[in-house]
Amino acid sequence: MEAEFDIPSHFLCPISLEVMRDPVTVSTGITYDRESIERWLSSGKNKACPVTKQQLFDADLTPNHNLRRIIQAWCTLNASHGVERIPTPTSQLDKTQIVKLIDQARKLPHTQFQCLKRLRSMAVNHGERNKNSLEAAGAVEYVASLISNADQSIMKVAVEVLFHLRSSESRLKDLMSKDGEKIIDSLVQVLKRGDYQSRAHATILLRSVFELANPMRLMSATVELFIETMNVVRDQISQQAFKAALKLLVELCPWGRNRIKAVEGGAVSILIEALLETQEKRACELILISLDQLCRCAEGRAELLRHAAGLAIVSKKIFRVSHVASDRAVRILFSICRFSATSAVVMEMLQVGVVAKLCLVLQVDCRFKTKEKAREILKLHSRVWKSSPCVPAHLLSFYPPTSSSS
Protein backbone atom coordinates (compact mmCIF):
# COMPACT_ATOMS: atom_id res chain seq x y z
CA MET A 1 0.00 0.00 0.00
CA GLU A 2 1.85 3.11 -1.24
CA ALA A 3 0.87 6.55 0.07
CA GLU A 4 2.35 10.00 0.68
CA PHE A 5 1.07 10.13 4.26
CA ASP A 6 1.84 8.34 7.50
CA ILE A 7 0.13 5.05 8.25
CA PRO A 8 -0.64 4.70 11.97
CA SER A 9 1.98 2.35 13.41
CA HIS A 10 -0.60 0.25 15.28
CA PHE A 11 -2.20 -0.61 11.90
CA LEU A 12 0.98 -2.45 10.86
CA CYS A 13 1.65 -6.10 11.53
CA PRO A 14 4.90 -6.51 13.55
CA ILE A 15 5.89 -9.41 11.27
CA SER A 16 5.04 -8.24 7.73
CA LEU A 17 5.17 -4.48 8.53
CA GLU A 18 2.13 -4.12 6.27
CA VAL A 19 -1.38 -2.89 7.11
CA MET A 20 -3.24 -5.72 8.82
CA ARG A 21 -6.13 -7.22 6.85
CA ASP A 22 -7.33 -9.57 9.58
CA PRO A 23 -5.87 -8.48 12.94
CA VAL A 24 -5.79 -11.15 15.66
CA THR A 25 -4.43 -11.00 19.19
CA VAL A 26 -2.29 -13.75 20.75
CA SER A 27 -2.13 -14.69 24.43
CA THR A 28 0.65 -12.16 25.10
CA GLY A 29 -1.66 -9.30 24.10
CA ILE A 30 0.19 -8.45 20.86
CA THR A 31 -1.86 -8.08 17.68
CA TYR A 32 -0.68 -9.49 14.33
CA ASP A 33 -2.15 -10.05 10.89
CA ARG A 34 -3.67 -13.52 10.91
CA GLU A 35 -1.86 -14.80 7.83
CA SER A 36 1.56 -13.69 9.11
CA ILE A 37 1.24 -15.12 12.64
CA GLU A 38 -0.27 -18.40 11.37
CA ARG A 39 2.63 -18.81 8.94
CA TRP A 40 5.04 -18.04 11.81
CA LEU A 41 3.45 -20.66 14.06
CA SER A 42 2.87 -23.34 11.40
CA SER A 43 6.57 -23.48 10.52
CA GLY A 44 6.96 -25.69 13.61
CA LYS A 45 10.12 -23.82 14.67
CA ASN A 46 8.53 -20.74 16.18
CA LYS A 47 6.42 -21.14 19.31
CA ALA A 48 7.20 -17.76 20.86
CA CYS A 49 5.54 -14.38 20.41
CA PRO A 50 7.72 -12.54 17.82
CA VAL A 51 7.55 -9.26 19.77
CA THR A 52 7.77 -10.31 23.44
CA LYS A 53 9.66 -13.60 22.86
CA GLN A 54 7.35 -15.24 25.43
CA GLN A 55 6.24 -18.83 24.80
CA LEU A 56 2.77 -19.12 23.29
CA PHE A 57 1.35 -22.08 25.19
CA ASP A 58 -2.11 -21.15 23.96
CA ALA A 59 -2.23 -21.08 20.14
CA ASP A 60 -5.70 -19.50 20.02
CA LEU A 61 -5.94 -16.35 17.91
CA THR A 62 -8.60 -13.87 19.03
CA PRO A 63 -10.00 -11.65 16.23
CA ASN A 64 -9.49 -7.97 16.98
CA HIS A 65 -12.74 -6.73 15.42
CA ASN A 66 -12.47 -3.18 16.80
CA LEU A 67 -9.03 -2.62 15.27
CA ARG A 68 -10.16 -4.14 11.96
CA ARG A 69 -13.15 -1.75 11.80
CA ILE A 70 -10.90 1.23 12.61
CA ILE A 71 -8.48 0.19 9.83
CA GLN A 72 -11.37 -0.23 7.38
CA ALA A 73 -12.72 3.23 8.27
CA TRP A 74 -9.25 4.73 7.83
CA CYS A 75 -8.97 3.06 4.40
CA THR A 76 -12.33 4.52 3.36
CA LEU A 77 -11.32 8.03 4.50
CA ASN A 78 -8.11 7.80 2.47
CA ALA A 79 -9.63 6.24 -0.64
CA SER A 80 -8.86 9.43 -2.58
CA HIS A 81 -5.17 8.73 -2.00
CA GLY A 82 -5.45 5.32 -3.66
CA VAL A 83 -5.92 3.32 -0.46
CA GLU A 84 -8.04 0.21 -1.04
CA ARG A 85 -10.61 -0.78 1.55
CA ILE A 86 -9.78 -4.04 3.32
CA PRO A 87 -12.64 -6.54 3.00
CA THR A 88 -14.18 -8.15 6.06
CA PRO A 89 -12.60 -11.62 6.52
CA THR A 90 -14.76 -14.66 5.90
CA SER A 91 -15.71 -16.70 8.92
CA GLN A 92 -13.31 -19.43 10.01
CA LEU A 93 -14.08 -22.99 8.99
CA ASP A 94 -15.68 -25.17 11.63
CA LYS A 95 -13.61 -28.30 12.23
CA THR A 96 -16.72 -30.23 13.30
CA GLN A 97 -18.42 -29.53 9.97
CA ILE A 98 -15.35 -30.70 8.04
CA VAL A 99 -15.17 -33.94 10.06
CA LYS A 100 -18.87 -34.55 9.39
CA LEU A 101 -18.39 -33.95 5.66
CA ILE A 102 -15.47 -36.42 5.48
CA ASP A 103 -17.23 -39.08 7.60
CA GLN A 104 -20.25 -38.93 5.31
CA ALA A 105 -18.08 -39.36 2.21
CA ARG A 106 -16.37 -42.38 3.79
CA LYS A 107 -19.73 -44.02 4.49
CA LEU A 108 -21.27 -43.05 1.14
CA PRO A 109 -18.63 -43.45 -1.62
CA HIS A 110 -20.93 -41.89 -4.22
CA THR A 111 -20.55 -38.56 -2.38
CA GLN A 112 -16.74 -38.54 -2.59
CA PHE A 113 -16.56 -36.26 -5.61
CA GLN A 114 -18.84 -33.62 -4.07
CA CYS A 115 -16.88 -33.84 -0.81
CA LEU A 116 -13.61 -33.24 -2.67
CA LYS A 117 -15.07 -30.26 -4.50
CA ARG A 118 -16.13 -28.69 -1.20
CA LEU A 119 -12.70 -29.37 0.33
CA ARG A 120 -11.09 -27.82 -2.74
CA SER A 121 -13.22 -24.70 -2.32
CA MET A 122 -12.22 -24.50 1.35
CA ALA A 123 -8.52 -24.93 0.56
CA VAL A 124 -8.47 -22.44 -2.31
CA ASN A 125 -10.76 -19.73 -0.96
CA HIS A 126 -9.74 -19.78 2.70
CA GLY A 127 -6.07 -20.55 2.08
CA GLU A 128 -3.51 -20.38 4.88
CA ARG A 129 -6.00 -19.13 7.41
CA ASN A 130 -8.00 -22.34 7.67
CA LYS A 131 -5.31 -24.88 6.83
CA ASN A 132 -5.04 -25.86 10.48
CA SER A 133 -8.77 -26.58 10.67
CA LEU A 134 -8.65 -28.75 7.54
CA GLU A 135 -5.56 -30.61 8.80
CA ALA A 136 -7.01 -31.11 12.27
CA ALA A 137 -10.19 -32.57 10.75
CA GLY A 138 -8.16 -35.24 8.90
CA ALA A 139 -8.63 -33.74 5.44
CA VAL A 140 -5.03 -34.39 4.38
CA GLU A 141 -5.17 -38.12 5.20
CA TYR A 142 -8.60 -38.53 3.60
CA VAL A 143 -7.64 -36.75 0.37
CA ALA A 144 -4.33 -38.64 0.14
CA SER A 145 -6.26 -41.93 0.30
CA LEU A 146 -8.19 -40.96 -2.85
CA ILE A 147 -5.22 -40.14 -5.10
CA SER A 148 -5.06 -43.74 -6.35
CA ASN A 149 -8.80 -43.81 -7.15
CA ALA A 150 -9.58 -45.44 -10.50
CA ASP A 151 -12.06 -42.66 -11.26
CA GLN A 152 -10.04 -40.07 -13.20
CA SER A 153 -12.17 -37.14 -12.04
CA ILE A 154 -11.78 -38.07 -8.35
CA MET A 155 -8.03 -38.56 -8.76
CA LYS A 156 -7.64 -35.16 -10.43
CA VAL A 157 -9.53 -33.23 -7.75
CA ALA A 158 -7.81 -35.16 -4.93
CA VAL A 159 -4.37 -34.16 -6.22
CA GLU A 160 -5.49 -30.57 -6.65
CA VAL A 161 -6.86 -30.40 -3.08
CA LEU A 162 -3.68 -31.93 -1.63
CA PHE A 163 -1.62 -29.43 -3.61
CA HIS A 164 -3.61 -26.45 -2.30
CA LEU A 165 -3.62 -27.70 1.29
CA ARG A 166 0.17 -27.36 1.41
CA SER A 167 0.49 -29.60 4.44
CA SER A 168 2.81 -28.56 7.24
CA GLU A 169 6.14 -30.36 7.53
CA SER A 170 5.07 -32.27 10.64
CA ARG A 171 1.78 -33.39 9.06
CA LEU A 172 3.55 -34.52 5.89
CA LYS A 173 6.10 -36.49 7.94
CA ASP A 174 3.31 -38.26 9.83
CA LEU A 175 1.57 -39.09 6.59
CA MET A 176 4.78 -40.45 5.06
CA SER A 177 5.56 -42.61 8.08
CA LYS A 178 2.15 -44.29 7.82
CA ASP A 179 1.51 -44.55 4.08
CA GLY A 180 4.64 -43.20 2.39
CA GLU A 181 5.09 -45.95 -0.18
CA LYS A 182 1.42 -45.92 -1.18
CA ILE A 183 1.34 -42.13 -1.54
CA ILE A 184 4.47 -42.09 -3.70
CA ASP A 185 3.14 -44.91 -5.91
CA SER A 186 -0.19 -43.10 -6.25
CA LEU A 187 1.49 -39.84 -7.27
CA VAL A 188 3.60 -41.69 -9.84
CA GLN A 189 0.39 -43.09 -11.32
CA VAL A 190 -0.97 -39.55 -11.54
CA LEU A 191 2.18 -38.58 -13.47
CA LYS A 192 1.49 -41.50 -15.76
CA ARG A 193 -2.21 -41.05 -16.53
CA GLY A 194 -3.19 -37.54 -15.36
CA ASP A 195 -3.71 -34.42 -17.45
CA TYR A 196 -1.13 -31.62 -17.53
CA GLN A 197 -2.48 -29.85 -14.43
CA SER A 198 -2.66 -33.05 -12.35
CA ARG A 199 0.86 -34.02 -13.42
CA ALA A 200 2.16 -30.57 -12.46
CA HIS A 201 0.54 -30.81 -9.01
CA ALA A 202 1.80 -34.38 -8.51
CA THR A 203 5.37 -33.40 -9.43
CA ILE A 204 5.43 -30.55 -6.90
CA LEU A 205 3.92 -32.83 -4.24
CA LEU A 206 6.51 -35.55 -4.93
CA ARG A 207 9.29 -33.04 -4.52
CA SER A 208 7.85 -31.99 -1.12
CA VAL A 209 7.47 -35.64 -0.08
CA PHE A 210 11.04 -36.64 -0.96
CA GLU A 211 12.49 -33.55 0.73
CA LEU A 212 11.29 -35.08 4.01
CA ALA A 213 11.99 -38.72 3.15
CA ASN A 214 14.51 -40.85 5.03
CA PRO A 215 17.51 -42.43 3.21
CA MET A 216 15.77 -45.80 2.77
CA ARG A 217 12.82 -44.12 1.06
CA LEU A 218 15.15 -42.11 -1.16
CA MET A 219 17.06 -45.23 -2.19
CA SER A 220 13.85 -47.12 -3.00
CA ALA A 221 12.84 -44.77 -5.83
CA THR A 222 11.72 -46.81 -8.84
CA VAL A 223 12.71 -46.60 -12.50
CA GLU A 224 9.06 -45.78 -13.23
CA LEU A 225 9.32 -42.71 -10.99
CA PHE A 226 12.33 -41.50 -12.96
CA ILE A 227 10.63 -42.20 -16.30
CA GLU A 228 7.55 -40.17 -15.38
CA THR A 229 9.57 -37.37 -13.77
CA MET A 230 11.66 -37.03 -16.91
CA ASN A 231 8.49 -36.97 -19.01
CA VAL A 232 7.46 -33.87 -17.04
CA VAL A 233 10.84 -32.31 -17.94
CA ARG A 234 10.43 -33.31 -21.57
CA ASP A 235 6.87 -31.99 -21.86
CA GLN A 236 7.63 -28.78 -19.90
CA ILE A 237 4.00 -28.69 -18.76
CA SER A 238 4.68 -25.63 -16.57
CA GLN A 239 7.75 -23.74 -15.44
CA GLN A 240 7.01 -24.57 -11.80
CA ALA A 241 6.59 -28.30 -12.49
CA PHE A 242 9.65 -28.30 -14.81
CA LYS A 243 11.87 -26.95 -12.02
CA ALA A 244 10.25 -29.17 -9.39
CA ALA A 245 11.03 -32.25 -11.53
CA LEU A 246 14.66 -31.14 -11.92
CA LYS A 247 14.97 -30.49 -8.17
CA LEU A 248 13.48 -33.92 -7.47
CA LEU A 249 16.08 -35.50 -9.76
CA VAL A 250 18.89 -33.61 -7.98
CA GLU A 251 17.49 -34.78 -4.62
CA LEU A 252 17.28 -38.44 -5.63
CA CYS A 253 20.39 -39.03 -7.74
CA PRO A 254 23.03 -39.27 -4.98
CA TRP A 255 21.25 -42.16 -3.21
CA GLY A 256 21.88 -45.87 -3.79
CA ARG A 257 21.53 -46.99 -7.42
CA ASN A 258 19.38 -43.99 -8.35
CA ARG A 259 21.85 -42.67 -10.91
CA ILE A 260 21.58 -45.90 -12.89
CA LYS A 261 17.79 -45.94 -12.49
CA ALA A 262 17.61 -42.36 -13.77
CA VAL A 263 19.74 -43.26 -16.80
CA GLU A 264 17.46 -46.23 -17.48
CA GLY A 265 14.54 -43.79 -17.25
CA GLY A 266 15.96 -41.75 -20.13
CA ALA A 267 17.19 -38.86 -17.99
CA VAL A 268 20.41 -38.03 -19.85
CA SER A 269 18.99 -37.54 -23.34
CA ILE A 270 15.97 -35.60 -22.03
CA LEU A 271 18.22 -33.33 -19.96
CA ILE A 272 20.45 -32.62 -22.95
CA GLU A 273 17.42 -31.75 -25.10
CA ALA A 274 16.14 -29.47 -22.32
CA LEU A 275 19.56 -27.82 -22.05
CA LEU A 276 19.47 -27.13 -25.80
CA GLU A 277 16.10 -25.38 -25.47
CA THR A 278 16.15 -23.47 -22.18
CA GLN A 279 17.86 -20.16 -21.50
CA GLU A 280 16.57 -19.65 -17.95
CA LYS A 281 19.44 -19.47 -15.47
CA ARG A 282 18.20 -21.68 -12.62
CA ALA A 283 16.85 -24.32 -15.00
CA CYS A 284 20.23 -24.55 -16.76
CA GLU A 285 22.00 -24.87 -13.42
CA LEU A 286 19.69 -27.67 -12.26
CA ILE A 287 20.13 -29.55 -15.55
CA LEU A 288 23.92 -29.33 -15.35
CA ILE A 289 23.91 -30.36 -11.67
CA SER A 290 21.83 -33.42 -12.64
CA LEU A 291 24.09 -34.30 -15.58
CA ASP A 292 27.15 -33.94 -13.33
CA GLN A 293 25.64 -36.47 -10.91
CA LEU A 294 24.63 -38.86 -13.69
CA CYS A 295 28.07 -38.71 -15.31
CA ARG A 296 29.56 -40.15 -12.14
CA CYS A 297 28.39 -43.55 -13.35
CA ALA A 298 29.57 -45.28 -16.54
CA GLU A 299 26.01 -45.62 -17.86
CA GLY A 300 25.43 -41.88 -17.57
CA ARG A 301 28.65 -41.00 -19.34
CA ALA A 302 27.88 -43.44 -22.15
CA GLU A 303 24.44 -41.86 -22.68
CA LEU A 304 25.88 -38.35 -22.80
CA LEU A 305 28.47 -39.42 -25.37
CA ARG A 306 25.78 -41.22 -27.39
CA HIS A 307 23.88 -37.94 -27.85
CA ALA A 308 25.22 -36.01 -30.84
CA ALA A 309 24.98 -32.67 -29.01
CA GLY A 310 26.05 -33.86 -25.54
CA LEU A 311 29.64 -32.62 -25.34
CA ALA A 312 28.98 -29.52 -27.43
CA ILE A 313 26.05 -28.14 -25.38
CA VAL A 314 27.76 -28.82 -22.05
CA SER A 315 30.84 -26.95 -23.24
CA LYS A 316 28.74 -24.14 -24.70
CA LYS A 317 27.12 -23.39 -21.32
CA ILE A 318 30.50 -22.54 -19.74
CA PHE A 319 30.53 -18.73 -19.09
CA ARG A 320 27.03 -18.32 -20.57
CA VAL A 321 24.90 -18.99 -17.49
CA SER A 322 26.60 -18.56 -14.11
CA HIS A 323 29.62 -19.63 -12.06
CA VAL A 324 27.59 -22.59 -10.76
CA ALA A 325 26.76 -23.73 -14.30
CA SER A 326 30.35 -23.29 -15.50
CA ASP A 327 31.68 -25.30 -12.56
CA ARG A 328 29.23 -28.17 -13.18
CA ALA A 329 29.93 -28.20 -16.91
CA VAL A 330 33.68 -28.50 -16.30
CA ARG A 331 33.02 -31.30 -13.77
CA ILE A 332 31.02 -33.20 -16.41
CA LEU A 333 33.86 -32.84 -18.92
CA PHE A 334 36.33 -33.98 -16.26
CA SER A 335 34.31 -37.18 -15.64
CA ILE A 336 34.25 -37.89 -19.38
CA CYS A 337 37.98 -37.23 -19.84
CA ARG A 338 39.00 -39.19 -16.77
CA PHE A 339 36.90 -42.32 -17.24
CA SER A 340 35.43 -42.48 -20.76
CA ALA A 341 37.94 -40.80 -23.07
CA THR A 342 38.40 -43.09 -26.07
CA SER A 343 40.44 -41.75 -28.96
CA ALA A 344 37.19 -40.86 -30.75
CA VAL A 345 35.91 -38.92 -27.73
CA VAL A 346 39.22 -37.05 -27.39
CA MET A 347 39.03 -36.02 -31.08
CA GLU A 348 35.36 -35.01 -30.78
CA MET A 349 36.19 -32.73 -27.84
CA LEU A 350 38.79 -31.07 -30.00
CA GLN A 351 36.45 -30.68 -32.98
CA VAL A 352 33.39 -29.29 -31.14
CA GLY A 353 35.42 -26.65 -29.29
CA VAL A 354 35.64 -28.23 -25.83
CA VAL A 355 39.44 -27.92 -25.68
CA ALA A 356 39.40 -24.27 -26.79
CA LYS A 357 36.76 -23.50 -24.13
CA LEU A 358 38.88 -25.20 -21.43
CA CYS A 359 41.89 -23.11 -22.43
CA LEU A 360 39.66 -20.05 -22.10
CA VAL A 361 38.70 -21.12 -18.57
CA LEU A 362 42.37 -20.75 -17.59
CA GLN A 363 42.40 -17.14 -18.84
CA VAL A 364 39.27 -15.59 -17.43
CA ASP A 365 38.07 -14.79 -13.93
CA CYS A 366 36.26 -17.83 -12.53
CA ARG A 367 36.34 -20.08 -9.48
CA PHE A 368 39.71 -21.53 -8.50
CA LYS A 369 38.38 -25.11 -8.38
CA THR A 370 36.88 -24.72 -11.85
CA LYS A 371 40.28 -23.64 -13.21
CA GLU A 372 42.01 -26.53 -11.47
CA LYS A 373 39.60 -29.05 -13.03
CA ALA A 374 40.10 -27.51 -16.48
CA ARG A 375 43.87 -27.65 -16.01
CA GLU A 376 43.68 -31.34 -15.04
CA ILE A 377 41.58 -32.16 -18.12
CA LEU A 378 44.00 -30.41 -20.46
CA LYS A 379 46.97 -32.22 -18.93
CA LEU A 380 45.28 -35.61 -19.35
CA HIS A 381 45.30 -35.41 -23.16
CA SER A 382 47.99 -32.86 -23.92
CA ARG A 383 49.72 -35.14 -26.41
CA VAL A 384 46.73 -34.97 -28.77
CA TRP A 385 45.47 -31.47 -28.01
CA LYS A 386 48.48 -29.26 -27.36
CA SER A 387 49.75 -29.11 -30.93
CA SER A 388 46.36 -29.23 -32.65
CA PRO A 389 45.50 -26.59 -35.29
CA CYS A 390 41.86 -26.81 -34.06
CA VAL A 391 42.76 -24.65 -31.06
CA PRO A 392 43.51 -20.96 -31.77
CA ALA A 393 47.13 -20.02 -31.08
CA HIS A 394 46.22 -17.30 -28.58
CA LEU A 395 44.41 -19.93 -26.50
CA LEU A 396 47.14 -22.56 -26.82
CA SER A 397 49.53 -20.12 -25.21
CA PHE A 398 47.64 -20.74 -21.98
CA TYR A 399 47.87 -24.53 -22.25
CA PRO A 400 49.29 -25.82 -18.96
CA PRO A 401 52.79 -27.37 -19.00
CA THR A 402 52.97 -31.10 -18.33
CA SER A 403 55.74 -33.13 -16.77
CA SER A 404 54.52 -36.18 -18.67
CA SER A 405 51.97 -36.59 -21.41
CA SER A 406 49.34 -39.26 -21.69
Side-chain angles (χ1 to χ4, degrees):
M1 185 180 293
E2 296 183 4
E4 297 178 357
F5 49 85
D6 291 332
I7 300 172
S9 60
H10 60 287
F11 287 4
L12 302 177
C13 172
I15 297 175
S16 67
L17 300 181
E18 295 180 356
V19 174
M20 291 182 279
R21 303 178 69 84
D22 186 8
V24 293
T25 304
V26 298
S27 57
T28 59
I30 306 297
T31 298
Y32 301 92
D33 191 48
R34 183 185 291 275
E35 185 176 346
S36 296
I37 190 63
E38 284 188 343
R39 189 181 298 116
W40 170 274
L41 295 172
S42 66
S43 68
K45 301 173 184 175
N46 305 303
K47 296 298 181 184
C49 173
V51 172
T52 66
K53 308 303 179 187
Q54 292 176 283
Q55 282 293 106
L56 293 173
F57 298 105
D58 183 357
D60 285 346
L61 306 175
T62 305
N64 192 329
H65 296 302
N66 287 336
L67 179 57
R68 174 178 53 76
R69 292 188 188 103
I70 293 169
I71 293 173
Q72 287 177 324
W74 177 85
C75 290
T76 301
L77 286 172
N78 289 281
S80 60
H81 297 285
V83 178
E84 294 182 8
R85 187 179 186 277
I86 293 170
T88 301
T90 54
S91 58
Q92 189 167 359
L93 292 175
D94 184 355
K95 175 188 167 183
T96 307
Q97 291 179 338
I98 303 170
V99 171
K100 185 178 178 181
L101 176 67
I102 293 171
D103 286 344
Q104 183 184 36
R106 282 197 171 110
K107 293 173 185 175
L108 304 171
H110 67 277
T111 66
Q112 285 177 344
F113 187 65
Q114 289 303 318
C115 173
L116 283 171
K117 286 174 68 176
R118 287 190 62 186
L119 290 174
R120 177 178 62 185
S121 176
M122 294 174 188
V124 173
N125 297 327
H126 295 268
E128 187 76 24
R129 181 182 172 204
N130 285 296
K131 185 174 72 172
N132 291 339
S133 297
L134 286 161
E135 284 193 354
V140 174
E141 290 82 357
Y142 172 67
V143 173
S145 71
L146 295 178
I147 295 175
S148 58
N149 198 290
D151 187 323
Q152 195 85 352
S153 58
I154 289 179
M155 175 207 74
K156 179 180 178 180
V157 181
V159 172
E160 186 180 357
V161 174
L162 202 59
F163 171 78
H164 285 296
L165 280 174
R166 302 282 185 175
S167 302
S168 63
E169 185 174 312
S170 58
R171 178 72 62 170
L172 205 52
K173 277 184 176 178
D174 288 343
L175 195 61
M176 285 298 295
S177 65
K178 295 173 186 173
D179 297 302
E181 189 174 344
K182 182 181 177 182
I183 291 169
I184 291 170
D185 289 344
S186 298
L187 289 172
V188 171
Q189 290 309 307
V190 175
L191 292 183
K192 197 170 185 178
R193 58 191 178 94
D195 59 17
Y196 271 18
Q197 186 182 55
S198 297
R199 290 170 64 200
H201 289 158
T203 304
I204 295 162
L205 286 168
L206 276 168
R207 198 236 160 172
S208 299
V209 163
F210 275 109
E211 273 187 319
L212 302 174
N214 59 44
M216 288 302 295
R217 186 83 66 193
L218 290 164
M219 288 189 283
S220 66
T222 63
V223 174
E224 186 179 29
L225 168 62
F226 286 105
I227 291 172
E228 299 307 329
T229 301
M230 295 320 302
N231 285 342
V232 172
V233 174
R234 181 198 63 201
D235 298 340
Q236 296 195 25
I237 55 183
S238 77
Q239 190 65 14
Q240 190 182 11
F242 178 67
K243 286 186 180 178
L246 292 173
K247 289 174 183 177
L248 177 57
L249 186 63
V250 170
E251 184 80 36
L252 290 173
C253 275
W255 298 92
R257 297 184 69 257
N258 284 349
R259 292 189 185 96
I260 295 172
K261 294 175 191 174
V263 173
E264 291 174 0
V268 176
S269 60
I270 291 174
L271 288 171
I272 293 171
E273 292 296 328
L275 196 58
L276 287 164
E277 295 174 9
T278 189
Q279 300 297 320
E280 203 273 328
K281 176 186 171 182
R282 187 54 182 155
C284 286
E285 289 176 346
L286 289 168
I287 292 170
L288 287 165
I289 291 169
S290 299
L291 285 172
D292 175 28
Q293 292 179 342
L294 295 175
C295 283
R296 294 178 194 181
C297 69
E299 294 83 354
R301 295 190 295 274
E303 283 299 309
L304 185 135
L305 292 171
R306 193 171 287 121
H307 196 292
L311 287 172
I313 188 60
V314 168
S315 172
K316 184 179 179 181
K317 292 300 178 181
I318 298 175
F319 301 136
R320 296 202 175 191
V321 181
S322 66
H323 284 307
V324 171
S326 296
D327 180 61
R328 292 292 179 162
V330 171
R331 285 170 181 252
I332 293 166
L333 297 174
F334 179 79
S335 293
I336 297 293
C337 286
R338 185 73 182 270
F339 303 108
S340 304
T342 63
S343 57
V345 169
V346 171
M347 288 307 299
E348 182 185 352
M349 294 181 80
L350 194 59
Q351 293 161 358
V352 301
V354 172
V355 181
K357 182 63 73 77
L358 290 171
C359 288
L360 189 59
V361 169
L362 301 184
Q363 293 185 53
V364 302
D365 180 30
C366 63
R367 292 177 177 176
F368 176 77
K369 287 186 177 180
T370 306
K371 285 193 175 190
E372 285 300 297
K373 286 286 183 192
R375 188 173 284 109
E376 285 184 61
I377 296 170
L378 291 168
K379 285 181 178 181
L380 281 171
H381 304 290
S382 61
R383 181 178 298 168
V384 178
W385 293 342
K386 195 169 184 180
S387 58
S388 172
C390 294
V391 184
H394 71 281
L395 292 178
L396 275 178
S397 63
F398 286 87
Y399 206 101
T402 55
S403 54
S404 62
S405 297
S406 58

